Amino acid sequence: MKRFLATDPAMSLDDAFRTRVVFLFSLVLVIWAPIYSYIMFQLAPNWEVVISTMTAMVMVGISPFLLRRGVSFFIVGNWLAFTVYWEMIFVGAIAGYGPPPFYWLAVVPMVASIIAGLRSGLFWMGLSLVSLAVYYSHLYAVRGDALVLSPGSQIIFDVSVLAGLYILVMLLSLSSLRAKDMAVSQLKASEERGRKIVEKAADAILTVDADATICSANEACAEIFGYPEQELLGRPLSQLAPATGQIPPDPDPEGDAVVMARFDPEGEPAEQPAALRAWSGHYYETLGIRQDGQTVPLEIAIARLDLSKSERFVVVVRDLRVRKKLEEQRKKALQQSKESFRALIENLPNGLIVHRQGQIRYLNPAAGELLGCQNWRELLGSPIDDLLPREERQQFFDLSNRARLQGESPQAQEHHFKTPQGERVPVESLTFEAIFQNEEALISIVRDLTETRQMRLQMMQMERMSAVGTLAAGVAHEINNPLTYVAGNLLFVLEELHEFSDQVGISGREDSQQDSYIGWSDALHDALEGTERIRKIVTDLRSYSQKREPEIKPVDLREVVETAINMASHEIKHRAQLIRDFQQVDPVLADPAGLGQVVLNLLINAAHAITPGSVEQQEVQVRIRQDGDQIFIEVRDTGTGIADDVLPQIFDPFFTTKSGNQGTGLGLAICQNIMQSFGGDLTVETAVGEGTTMVARLPATPAPEELTTGEQPEHEKQPTGTPRILIIDDDPMVRRTLTRRLAKNYEVQDVSSSTEALDKLSSTPFDIILCDLMMPEETGMEFFERLKSAEPHLKDQVIFITGGAVTQDAADFLEKTNAAVLKKPFRHRELQRQINDTLDK
């Protein structure tokens, strides 16, 4: 029963009442029908009446189930009305039980009206009245012949019918009262919930009458305006929000923005109902006044309540102080963010150009500097086409539009910008779409490639110079071999000529033979001098191009400077006269190759500062002097000098004033670093039109006892016996020259490979082994390893001869073994001294 009496919480009160009526009506009839059938059967046995009554009971009993299945109240109400109507007509008229069943016909319109609606009730009322009229007309015509009950039975039947009707009416009345009590209870609960919601709402909620007098106010209203709740009652709304006493401005036509309604002290107050009606239905911002006189930003919405007896308005007030504070903080943060972003953009090292529809809308100072514009704002509004060379415009816009229209990631592109002066600047730009000043625009980030391209060229130049250095080392090695036997053979011929002259007595005669002898001797001396110059150039070139770790040691400045002069002489001799001014100075602690590189660079720069063609009028002076514990190398030229605007940049990497491929811009920067690594520095003194003096300063180092200058006389130690010497070299000319030079004092044999040498060493004892370090089939290093295994007692008798350790393995080998080494081309006395030293071991 509870399941059928239970109603849906979302169901209206009317539907809940009708559901209860259906259930109670069905319950009464289901219970009463068997009793009613039994009474009628006892009074007048008639199985047709019993069957009809029980059928009606079943039809009425399924009504609640029909509602549960979703059948409408209209169908269920008419279903019940028809069932009762048919049962009463059948029992009273057709079965002949008389008027009492027709009493139930009064129930039919009542049930139809309550459940199915008023129209259904009127229909069944009319049908019931017509049926009663027809029945009583028939009963009057036939009088009592149609009745089946006796007078006594009729009384019992009438009482039972009336009892059923009384019970039904009582139950329906009780149900109606119960439904009313439930409705009142729900209404009170709803009112209480609504009151609590209003009272505890975060926004202030007031009700005012037509005169804008406050009738009620919640806690939030008291908190916003600073009044106790009771003191708010009876106050005019305009005292709290003065603008509500005037007609507000027109609302936003699109309804998106909240309009600010301000109080006009000079404005005329409006009639309160009219003002409140004008405020109704819209949101406005205005200022409220607290009890302490402070103003409060408010958002007000007024809704009109059209009551039957009076006109009321509901006013919802929202305190905007927190929102305004947050908005102010957001505005301040946004402004700071904008300023920071603008500062970032303004100070970007790369250029930034904003363009929309082909017009420049903004560019930062870096972009203006890149374009050579002192006042870059002059470019605003100009077509971006003006910045692009004609042949590159289409490519620039095609790549920019591809990212914008096809959604591709922006790609960097290299092209040129054209300055207002017509100069073409190589740049790399990245263009993408973004919002600028609330509109779509294209933003191009531009990077100047001038220095990058110069750096690329300079790096290529450095790579070429590195390759030239490597090539120079290899060329020096190849030159040294023929230079060895050329110099050796010239010296041999000269010595033989002197011996022949002494034997025949030419030197003391005065005739044509004496003249010829002198001429031959001078020619041979000149040739030897030429080979010595070649040897020195090759040695200096090899030393300069050699890649190795710096070797810091005491250095004789004269020797280093002379080497640099020899290498730079070709650059100087066609431009100026070279003047030396070398004072006696202490040694310096430095790397000879690094210091030589500095002096060479200064000499070449000095030569390049002088225009060729006036050698007699121009000078390059190299001076070495000492002042206390400081030593100075000064290179002065009479060239063009250095301009004041260029002078601060001469030590910057990649800065050069030389045209074409004459310079990389790295020379002076590298020289400064080298000098600083030695504890010194490099300075400049210059005057435009007069020349430049570069001054390299180094701290002095006390001269060690073993450091000497000049070439000391050598005393050749002649062998006491006849030592055997084995020469191993793949170059036959070198072997023949060495054999010719050594054959007078030694027993000499020569071979072209290490394999032949090992064969000879296994059968013949040798005192000295002269071995070439770099040979094609098997190197001297490999021969030395085999020799240590086969003839270990001879490993200290090996003297390596080399045109230069052209590989890192060879250099590492010589350093590791600490073997004796002669570098081609070597003098005969150097060879003799090394042989003597080895024999003395």
Side-chain angles (χ1 to χ4, degrees):
M1 180 181 294
K2 289 183 178 180
R3 188 169 68 87
F4 284 104
L5 285 175
T7 57
D8 187 352
M11 187 182 294
S12 67
L13 293 176
D14 183 55
D15 290 346
F17 174 70
R18 287 191 289 178
T19 300
R20 292 178 178 275
V21 169
V22 170
F23 177 76
L24 292 174
F25 186 75
S26 302
L27 181 64
V28 170
L29 290 185
V30 168
I31 296 173
W32 183 250
I35 300 172
Y36 182 61
S37 299
Y38 176 77
I39 293 172
M40 289 189 295
F41 189 80
Q42 295 297 323
L43 297 175
N46 188 338
W47 285 105
E48 292 180 355
V49 173
V50 174
I51 294 172
S52 175
T53 302
M54 298 307 292
T55 302
M57 179 191 71
V58 173
M59 293 176 66
V60 171
I62 66 174
S63 298
F65 294 97
L66 294 177
L67 283 180
R68 287 290 178 181
R69 292 293 181 181
V71 180
S72 66
F73 285 106
F74 178 80
I75 295 176
V76 172
N78 285 288
W79 170 271
L80 290 173
F82 170 76
T83 302
V84 175
Y85 173 80
W86 168 254
E87 178 63 16
M88 296 304 101
I89 293 297
F90 181 81
V91 173
I94 299 176
Y97 280 80
F102 284 91
Y103 301 156
W104 283 82
L105 289 180
V107 177
V108 172
M110 181 178 66
V111 171
S113 179
I114 292 173
I115 300 174
L118 182 60
R119 292 183 180 180
S120 296
L122 293 174
F123 169 76
W124 287 108
M125 180 180 288
L127 184 61
S128 298
L129 291 174
V130 172
S131 301
L132 283 172
V134 172
Y135 174 71
Y136 277 105
S137 298
H138 174 71
L139 186 64
Y140 177 79
V142 299
R143 289 188 279 229
D145 299 341
L147 300 176
V148 297
L149 297 176
S150 63
S153 299
Q154 187 68 40
I155 292 173
I156 296 172
F157 181 70
D158 290 350
V159 171
S160 65
V161 171
L162 290 173
L165 283 172
Y166 179 76
I167 293 171
L168 179 62
V169 171
M170 288 296 293
L171 289 174
L172 290 176
S173 299
L174 290 173
S175 178
S176 177
L177 291 173
R178 176 63 178 165
K180 180 180 178 181
D181 291 342
M182 289 180 60
V184 171
S185 177
Q186 291 179 3
L187 181 60
K188 288 182 178 180
S190 176
E191 288 180 351
E192 183 64 20
R193 287 195 299 270
R195 188 188 66 80
K196 289 182 178 180
I197 290 173
V198 170
E199 191 65 26
K200 300 300 180 181
D203 295 333
I205 301 177
L206 309 89
T207 58
V208 298
D209 58 16
D211 295 330
T213 301
I214 299 174
C215 302
S216 65
N218 64 350
E219 294 178 1
C221 185
E223 183 179 350
I224 291 174
F225 292 103
Y227 291 93
E229 287 186 55
Q230 294 301 320
E231 291 187 16
L232 286 171
L233 304 181
R235 291 181 181 274
L237 179 63
S238 59
Q239 184 178 348
L240 305 181
T244 58
Q246 299 176 341
I247 301 298
D250 294 333
D252 180 30
E254 298 182 358
D256 296 332
V258 178
V259 178
M260 182 68 184
R262 302 182 183 276
F263 174 70
D264 184 4
E266 299 179 359
E268 293 293 332
E271 295 183 3
Q272 280 303 325
L276 292 176
R277 292 190 193 106
W279 280 75
S280 298
H282 305 290
Y283 289 91
Y284 290 95
E285 286 190 15
T286 188
L287 293 177
I289 300 177
R290 288 173 51 85
Q291 186 182 21
D292 56 9
Q294 294 182 358
T295 58
V296 184
L298 303 174
E299 183 181 87
I300 294 182
I302 299 179
R304 181 173 175 270
L305 300 177
D306 193 3
L307 304 178
S308 58
K309 295 183 179 180
S310 61
E311 187 177 23
R312 292 288 180 95
F313 295 88
V314 177
V315 183
V316 180
V317 180
R318 178 166 294 170
D319 188 352
L320 298 182
R321 282 177 292 183
V322 175
R323 182 199 295 179
K324 292 293 184 181
K325 184 177 180 180
L326 292 176
E327 288 179 356
E328 188 64 27
Q329 291 175 351
R330 283 196 294 268
K331 286 181 181 178
K332 186 176 180 180
L334 181 61
Q335 183 63 27
Q336 290 176 348
S337 177
K338 287 182 178 180
E339 292 176 359
S340 298
F341 185 71
R342 176 172 290 276
L344 174 65
I345 295 299
E346 297 287 338
N347 293 282
L348 273 179
N350 294 332
L352 186 141
I353 302 175
V354 180
H355 46 103
R356 183 187 299 120
Q357 297 178 353
Q359 303 293 318
I360 298 176
R361 300 299 181 185
Y362 171 80
L363 69 163
N364 66 348
E369 183 180 353
L370 183 147
L371 296 171
C373 299
Q374 293 182 352
N375 186 6
W376 51 267
R377 290 181 176 83
E378 296 177 355
L379 295 175
L380 298 181
S382 61
I384 195 171
D385 288 2
D386 293 349
L387 304 181
L388 296 164
R390 185 181 302 275
E391 66 275 9
E392 295 183 1
R393 292 175 185 172
Q394 192 62 42
Q395 176 186 353
F396 175 81
F397 287 113
D398 286 348
L399 196 58
S400 301
N401 292 330
R402 189 184 307 163
R404 181 173 60 90
L405 299 177
Q406 301 180 10
E408 297 180 1
S409 299
Q411 298 180 3
Q413 56 175 321
E414 290 190 10
H415 57 92
H416 292 82
F417 269 158
K418 188 172 59 175
T419 67
Q421 296 78 24
E423 182 183 356
R424 292 165 66 98
V425 181
V427 298
E428 180 184 64
S429 67
L430 182 72
T431 302
F432 55 91
E433 191 175 29
I435 301 299
F436 178 77
Q437 295 180 346
N438 301 322
E439 294 185 29
E440 291 184 353
L442 291 176
I443 297 179
S444 296
I445 298 177
V446 184
R447 183 167 64 94
D448 190 350
L449 294 181
T450 303
E451 291 187 3
T452 302
R453 291 191 175 182
Q454 288 178 351
M455 190 177 297
R456 288 177 189 170
L457 295 174
Q458 290 158 356
M459 292 302 295
M460 292 172 61
Q461 177 70 9
M462 291 174 65
E463 290 178 2
R464 287 196 295 268
M465 291 185 66
S466 177
V468 168
T470 303
L471 180 62
V475 169
H477 176 266
E478 295 301 322
I479 291 176
N480 282 332
N481 275 343
L483 191 59
T484 298
Y485 54 75
V486 169
N489 287 326
L490 286 173
L491 185 58
F492 174 77
V493 172
L494 183 59
E495 291 177 351
E496 291 295 323
L497 181 61
H498 289 330
E499 289 184 8
F500 177 75
S501 173
D502 293 339
Q503 291 175 3
V504 299
I506 297 177
S507 58
R509 297 165 53 182
E510 297 181 3
D511 53 14
S512 59
Q513 290 184 353
Q514 172 69 13
D515 294 338
S516 298
Y517 166 73
I518 294 174
W520 294 341
S521 178
D522 291 343
L524 289 172
H525 276 290
D526 291 344
L528 281 173
E529 180 63 26
T531 60
E532 179 63 18
R533 288 182 61 184
I534 294 173
R535 185 192 69 82
K536 190 168 184 59
I537 291 172
V538 170
T539 301
D540 293 342
L541 180 62
R542 182 173 59 196
S543 174
Y544 184 74
S545 64
Q546 189 174 12
K547 297 179 181 178
R548 57 180 180 80
E549 291 296 322
E551 183 183 358
I552 306 299
K553 63 181 181 180
V555 175
D556 180 6
L557 280 184
R558 290 192 177 190
E559 183 177 342
V560 171
V561 172
E562 283 293 349
T563 299
I565 290 174
N566 290 337
M567 297 187 66
S569 60
H570 182 73
E571 292 288 339
I572 298 173
K573 66 183 181 181
H574 299 294
R575 300 170 184 262
Q577 300 180 53
L578 181 66
I579 299 175
R580 293 174 174 84
D581 182 7
F582 296 170
Q583 299 178 8
Q584 187 67 35
V585 297
D586 293 335
V588 295
L589 199 63
D591 174 46
L595 188 56
Q597 181 178 352
V598 172
V599 178
L600 176 61
N601 192 281
L602 297 182
L603 289 170
I604 292 175
N605 285 348
H608 288 173
I610 299 173
T611 303
S614 302
V615 177
E616 293 78 7
Q617 287 80 31
Q618 304 293 343
E619 290 183 356
V620 171
Q621 184 185 54
V622 183
R623 185 183 183 194
I624 301 175
R625 63 182 179 86
Q626 183 167 352
D627 185 1
D629 59 350
Q630 300 294 316
I631 295 178
F632 300 90
I633 305 172
E634 299 176 357
V635 178
R636 183 183 63 83
D637 64 73
T638 56
T640 56
I642 303 174
D644 292 339
D645 58 333
V646 173
L647 187 61
Q649 307 175 64
I650 62 172
F651 293 110
D652 292 344
F654 302 113
F655 176 80
T656 181
T657 58
K658 297 179 181 179
S659 60
N661 296 323
Q662 283 189 328
T664 64
L666 292 171
L668 288 178
I670 293 175
C671 290
Q672 185 69 279
N673 288 337
I674 292 174
M675 292 301 298
Q676 291 174 354
S677 69
F678 299 155
D681 58 25
L682 190 62
T683 57
V684 59
E685 300 172 5
T686 185
V688 177
E690 297 181 9
T692 301
T693 301
M694 301 298 298
V695 181
R697 180 190 61 83
L698 287 167
T701 301
E705 296 180 0
E706 65 272 14
L707 183 63
T708 58
T709 59
E711 191 172 298
Q712 302 300 319
E714 301 198 17
H715 304 282
E716 295 186 5
K717 178 182 178 182
Q718 298 299 327
T720 56
T722 308
R724 285 195 180 94
I725 296 178
L726 178 62
I727 301 172
I728 311 170
D729 199 304
D730 61 301
D731 192 327
M733 297 295 290
V734 174
R735 296 199 307 270
R736 284 201 298 270
T737 301
L738 291 176
T739 301
R740 186 179 297 118
R741 293 294 295 150
L742 298 173
K744 289 183 178 181
N745 301 317
Y746 305 97
E747 184 178 339
V748 181
Q749 296 186 35
D750 65 276
V751 294
S752 61
S753 68
S754 59
T755 302
E756 295 179 46
L758 288 172
D759 291 341
K760 281 187 175 295
L761 289 170
S762 63
S763 58
T764 306
F766 286 91
D767 301 292
I768 297 294
I769 302 172
L770 294 175
C771 180
D772 190 11
L773 186 63
M774 307 300 296
M775 294 183 291
E777 294 183 2
E778 187 175 49
T779 65
M781 298 176 289
E782 295 168 336
F783 162 75
F784 188 77
E785 296 299 325
R786 291 175 63 185
L787 179 65
K788 286 196 301 182
S789 299
E791 306 289 342
H793 61 284
L794 294 177
K795 64 182 181 64
D796 293 332
Q797 306 304 113
V798 178
I799 301 173
F800 288 106
I801 54 177
T802 177
V806 296
T807 67
Q808 188 62 41
D809 290 341
D812 294 342
F813 169 79
L814 293 177
E815 183 177 357
K816 178 181 178 182
T817 59
N818 198 24
V821 181
L822 284 172
K823 294 182 179 180
K824 302 175 186 176
F826 43 80
R827 298 182 180 91
H828 179 68
R829 60 176 175 270
E830 293 175 354
L831 174 61
Q832 187 64 60
R833 182 178 58 191
Q834 189 62 62
I835 290 174
N836 293 338
D837 292 342
T838 304
L839 289 174
D840 288 341
K841 290 183 180 180

